[in-house]
């Protein structure tokens, strides 16, 4: 970590002085007998070296470090560091420092058969690489903004799996697993019914969680923090073209503006509002500062109209949240010849009943909460 400025030995004691290129509150050395591999990098990224002891799947770890380094550089912007050292650390701990990664040995043990791999290694490695952007280059202002480090790094590694590694099914599977942990919080033991904490509590999510304290930090700072970014991303998708230019602009603008600085949740909200022109206070009140989690029960019916048109009526019941809780939920209507129309439905109140714009094809299926766009439970019933 950093650059060695001096070294001297007196009476069998060697003292060295190191200076970091980036101001940092946590610093580390990693001393050991390592094998080293110089990784393939480009002019877009810092140079990088992998230091390891475990030979098993070292190629996979090397690939994830160099590919995620390039992916994030293109996604968010260039790093200030000139070189990255990724080191194997015995045990299950991992941590990132400016220009230095501690990677758990478990990241090096991966299933030979990809179909049985739980993808821990890929996620672990790319998460720690993402901290060079989120948590190190852009630091949370206070503990309430901790999700800007952990939640951002977690969603970055999900995007790495989805877009760079082209594992779309894994992306949604992991989102589902994180959603299940969030939604089931406080219901693990008989008689428990703890209220879920808000993302903005930072490390204080552990308070009052009892035996669920450690799980609460993972579920609401890491996982719900990642889900907040996922919801924002899907709210910004152009449903006609499925282009994601707006969200990608937001993330790059936020990184480039606060690189080398501390940033707050309010700073991130302001960045979104500057890019989109939309007031986002309602969203942050609900999903970052608030702790409500909706359950939707959906019913729909279709009716043939003259001239080959079709009418669809939807009913949505909203539970588990206050009556004024509002969310934009994507709906996908699919025809029997695979025609597809996407739209967003604003859901608020206990019961909403709407007639969708008429269709020129017969709807065969209706998917509420398309692309797992909202952190919620969805149930269906007959109209």
């Amino acid at each position: 970590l950093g650059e060695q400025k001096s070294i001297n030995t007196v009476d069998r004691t060697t003292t060295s002085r190191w200076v970091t290129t980036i101001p940092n509150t946590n610093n580390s050395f990693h001393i050991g007998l390592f094998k080293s591999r110089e990784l393939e990098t480009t002019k877009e990224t810092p140079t990088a070296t992998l230091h390891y002891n475990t030979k098993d799947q070292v190629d996979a770890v090397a690939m994830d470090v160099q590919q995620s380094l390039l992916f994030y550089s293109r996604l968010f912007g260039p790093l200030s560091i000139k070189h990255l050292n990724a080191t194997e650390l015995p045990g299950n701990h991992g941590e990132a420092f400016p220009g230095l990664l501690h990677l758990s040995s478990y990241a090096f043990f991966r299933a030979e058969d990809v179909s049985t791999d739980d993808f821990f290694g890929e996620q672990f490695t790319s998460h720690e690489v993402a901290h060079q952007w989120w948590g190190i280059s852009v630091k949370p202002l206070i503990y309430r903004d901790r999700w800007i480090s952990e939640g951002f790094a977690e969603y970055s590694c999900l995007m790495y799996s989805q877009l760079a590694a082209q594992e779309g099914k894994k992306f949604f599977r992991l989102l589902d697993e994180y959603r299940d942990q969030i939604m089931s919080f406080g219901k693990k033991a008989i008689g428990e019914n703890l209220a879920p904490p808000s993302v903005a509590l930072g490390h204080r999510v552990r308070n009052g969680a009892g035996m669920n304290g450690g799980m609460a930090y993972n579920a609401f700072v890491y996982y719900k923090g990642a889900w907040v970014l996922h919801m924002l991303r899907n709210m910004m998708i152009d449903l006609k073209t499925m282009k994601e230019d707006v969200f990608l602009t937001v993330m790059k603008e936020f990184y480039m503006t606060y690189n080398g600085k501390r940033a707050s949740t309010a700073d991130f909200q302001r960045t979104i509002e500057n890019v989109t022109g939309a007031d986002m206070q309602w969203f942050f009140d609900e999903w970052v500062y608030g702790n409500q989690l909706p359950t939707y029960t959906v019913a729909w019916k279709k009716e043939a109209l003259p001239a080959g048109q079709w009418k669809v009526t939807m009913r949505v019941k909203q539970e588990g949240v206050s009556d004024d809780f509002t969310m934009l939920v994507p709906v996908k209507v699919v025809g029997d010849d695979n025609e597809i129309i996407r739209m967003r439905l604003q859901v608020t109140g206990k019961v909403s009943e709407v007639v969708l714009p008429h269709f020129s094809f017969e709807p065969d299926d209706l998917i509420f909460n398309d692309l797992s766009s909202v952190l919620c439970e969805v149930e269906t019933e007959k109209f």
Side-chain angles (χ1 to χ4, degrees), residues 28 39 63 66 98 114 143 207 281 286-287 289 300-301 335:
S28 178
L39 303 183
M63 181 184 67
Q66 63 193 35
V114 176
Y143 74 91
N207 296 355
Q281 190 62 51
E286 289 181 351
W287 294 106
Y289 305 117
W300 68 282
K301 62 182 179 179

Side-chain angles (χ1 to χ4, degrees), residues 33-90:
L33 299 174
F34 296 105
K35 302 176 184 68
S36 296
R37 177 188 294 188
E38 299 303 316
L39 303 183
E40 296 180 12
T41 55
T42 72
K43 293 181 179 179
E44 300 173 74
T45 69
T47 55
T49 307
L50 177 64
H51 307 276
Y52 63 96
N53 297 115
T54 305
K55 293 183 179 180
D56 185 34
Q57 299 298 304
V58 67
D59 290 345
V61 176
M63 181 184 67
D64 285 333
V65 172
Q66 63 193 35
Q67 285 191 351
S68 62
L69 195 60
L70 179 60
F71 177 68
Y72 300 144
S73 294
R74 290 177 174 175
L75 201 63
F76 307 129
L79 289 172
S80 300
I81 61 169
K82 303 300 182 184
H83 187 80
L84 177 68
N85 285 297
T87 64
E88 180 185 355
L89 182 71

Side-chain angles (χ1 to χ4, degrees), residues 57-169:
Q57 299 298 304
V58 67
D59 290 345
V61 176
M63 181 184 67
D64 285 333
V65 172
Q66 63 193 35
Q67 285 191 351
S68 62
L69 195 60
L70 179 60
F71 177 68
Y72 300 144
S73 294
R74 290 177 174 175
L75 201 63
F76 307 129
L79 289 172
S80 300
I81 61 169
K82 303 300 182 184
H83 187 80
L84 177 68
N85 285 297
T87 64
E88 180 185 355
L89 182 71
N92 61 2
H93 180 67
E95 195 166 348
F97 308 88
L100 175 66
L101 304 180
H102 289 332
L103 300 177
S104 164
S105 290
Y106 290 110
F108 290 76
F109 293 101
R110 308 187 185 192
E112 295 289 346
D113 181 1
V114 176
S115 66
T116 64
D117 191 355
D118 63 2
F119 302 106
F120 172 83
E122 178 182 295
Q123 291 291 293
F124 192 104
T125 301
S126 55
H127 176 101
E128 296 305 334
V129 173
H131 273 310
Q132 296 299 314
W133 283 262
W134 312 117
I136 292 176
S137 296
V138 179
K139 293 180 173 62
L141 181 63
I142 60 174
Y143 74 91
R144 291 184 177 276
D145 308 307
R146 188 65 186 168
W147 75 287
I148 290 176
S149 173
E150 299 298 355
F152 276 51
E154 191 65 25
Y155 195 63
S156 296
C157 73
L158 286 174
M159 291 183 70
Y160 168 70
S161 295
Q162 180 194 25
L163 301 178
Q166 297 184 338
E167 292 283 357
K169 290 183 179 179

Side-chain angles (χ1 to χ4, degrees), residues 308-340:
Q309 297 291 297
W310 287 85
K311 172 184 174 182
V312 170
T313 305
M314 282 187 65
R315 182 180 67 227
V316 182
K317 298 176 183 176
Q318 182 174 243
E319 298 175 295
V321 294
S322 58
D323 288 350
D324 60 352
F325 189 94
T326 300
M327 192 57 193
L328 296 172
V329 186
V331 174
K332 181 170 74 172
V333 179
V334 182
D336 54 7
D337 287 331
N338 207 33
E339 303 98 333
I340 292 176

